[in-house]
Amino acid sequence: MAELIDTVAWVLLEGGRILCARPRGKDVFYIPGGKREGDETDLQTLTREVAEELTVAIRPDTVVHVGTYHADAHPSGPTVRMACYRADYTGTLAASSEIEDVEWFGYADRDRVPPVDQLLFDDLHRDGHLH
């Protein structure tokens, strides 16, 4: 069976743009979030990763599933499963020590994110949320 990378991502949209983060030492941007640890639920993973990366707290009562996407990480690589959620937050957005940079991306920035993130970009653009 092919390797599966199981991730959860936070879809934060503002003004037709989506928040993306670039981890320290990487040259590609990702939708904020990350890999599940152990038997964490999607909500536990989402809450932990967003706090670690962006120093804000997800409000659990506002979490809404927007889709789950699958794509190969690269042509001969593992498959990435990305469960995506929208949610409100408390605190002030800031890049943590593990994040080099955060940017708001529009649909024109689609080629700057990995294949699984591009599937989300396509759906958000089609539905009029990403310009």
Side-chain angles (χ1 to χ4, degrees):
M1 187 168 149
E3 181 185 352
L4 178 70
I5 300 172
D6 188 18
T7 67
V8 178
W10 184 35
V11 178
L12 182 61
L13 296 164
E14 197 171 283
R17 299 174 81 71
I18 187 168
L19 185 68
C20 292
R22 184 170 55 84
R24 198 164 297 287
K26 305 263 184 170
D27 57 5
V28 73
F29 280 82
Y30 300 87
I31 305 299
K35 295 177 192 170
R36 183 184 318 275
E37 291 183 358
D39 60 357
E40 281 182 328
T41 64
D42 283 5
L43 178 58
Q44 289 168 329
T45 304
L46 183 71
T47 302
R48 176 183 52 75
E49 286 287 346
V50 168
E52 288 174 4
E53 293 182 358
L54 299 169
T55 72
V56 296
I58 292 292
R59 291 188 36 223
D61 59 317
T62 67
V63 174
V64 176
H65 183 250
V66 295
T68 299
Y69 300 89
H70 295 85
D72 291 338
H74 45 80
S76 60
T79 297
V80 177
R81 174 190 178 273
M82 184 173 74
C84 299
Y85 295 87
R86 290 176 99 167
D88 293 337
Y89 65 93
T90 57
T92 302
L93 281 172
S96 73
S97 59
E98 65 184 57
I99 300 298
E100 183 83 31
D101 195 15
V102 292
E103 287 188 30
W104 291 93
F105 280 11
Y107 190 67
D109 299 303
R110 180 184 182 276
D111 63 341
R112 297 176 65 194
V113 298
V116 72
D117 295 40
Q118 291 177 9
L119 298 174
L120 171 66
F121 272 48
D122 292 343
D123 280 358
L124 292 172
H125 181 69
R126 181 198 66 221
D127 295 342
H129 300 296
L130 188 63
H131 306 151

